[in-house]
Structures are given as structure tokens and as C-alpha cells.
Amino acid sequence: MTAGDKESARTILGKTRGIPCFAMLADEEGMAWGCGFGILEEDHMGIFGVVTHPSVRNQGIASKLVGHLLGWGRDRGAQQAYLQVSIHNLPAMGLYKKLGFEEKYLYWYRVKP
């Protein structure tokens, strides 16, 4: 992630109107296996930024993270969920399809040069 990407992410998160939830799964020594975050807005739970460490990919970490985030939202009144994922992230696209998500539309961010 570049400095520009980080600044864009800060700007986007700073304008979010909802209750954030951050999740992380780690080993016994505290080494992060994966993390992600969600935003609860009224009865919708948005899932964003789910990542896993390359050494533990394809071991169910992302599924567990998404499950925890969705459960947290459901416990607070979420009735529906949505997520954002890069169309080029084929493993994530497969995971989310397996979890019951389907593509509704494409998006992109615009940033000043």
C-alpha cells in the first residue's frame, strides 16, 4: 500500500457514518494471521479490507474473519450485508461467492493526481 493509498483510506474511513468493527485472528504468540473491518450502518453490515498473511492462506482464516464480522453486525441489528473486493482478487471473489455473496455492481475510487 502506497502513502497515497493510505491517505485515501484514512479519508474514506473518516467520512464513514456508522459503527466500525475491527477483527484480527492471531496465533498464540500474537502473530497476525489475518484482519478485516466492517461498518454497521442501520441494518446493513459492510465488510472491507479482509486480508490474510501469505503463509496461512487457504486455511479458512478469511472465512472466520468474515463470519466474526457478520456475527458482530447481526448481534447489533444488521439484516443485510455487502462487501467490497477488487475484481482482480480472484481468490477473494471465490471465497465470497462460496459464502453466498453475489456481484451487484462495479466500483472505483477517484483520487486527485
Side-chain angles (χ1 to χ4, degrees), residues 64-106:
K64 288 178 185 176
L65 285 166
V66 172
H68 288 302
L69 291 165
L70 292 174
W72 180 90
R74 188 175 39 253
D75 290 348
R76 286 155 183 79
Q79 300 293 313
Q80 298 184 38
Y82 65 93
L83 57 86
Q84 291 182 334
V85 61
S86 169
I87 195 167
H88 303 292
N89 189 343
L90 298 179
M93 296 283 281
L95 166 67
Y96 297 136
K97 184 176 183 177
K98 193 165 53 172
L99 293 175
F101 288 92
E102 57 187 50
E103 185 178 306
K104 293 295 185 180
Y105 62 89
L106 299 177

Side-chain angles (χ1 to χ4, degrees), residues 12-79:
I12 292 166
L13 286 173
K15 294 182 179 191
T16 301
R17 294 172 281 149
I19 303 167
C21 176
F22 297 90
M24 181 181 81
L25 289 175
D27 65 15
E28 297 80 28
E29 288 82 40
M31 170 67 180
W33 286 341
C35 61
F37 72 96
I39 302 287
L40 177 64
E41 292 187 86
E42 298 181 14
D43 66 344
H44 286 73
M45 185 66 187
I47 306 294
F48 308 91
V50 176
V51 297
T52 57
H53 191 277
S55 68
V56 293
R57 288 198 177 135
N58 299 311
Q59 296 182 31
I61 302 298
S63 294
K64 288 178 185 176
L65 285 166
V66 172
H68 288 302
L69 291 165
L70 292 174
W72 180 90
R74 188 175 39 253
D75 290 348
R76 286 155 183 79
Q79 300 293 313

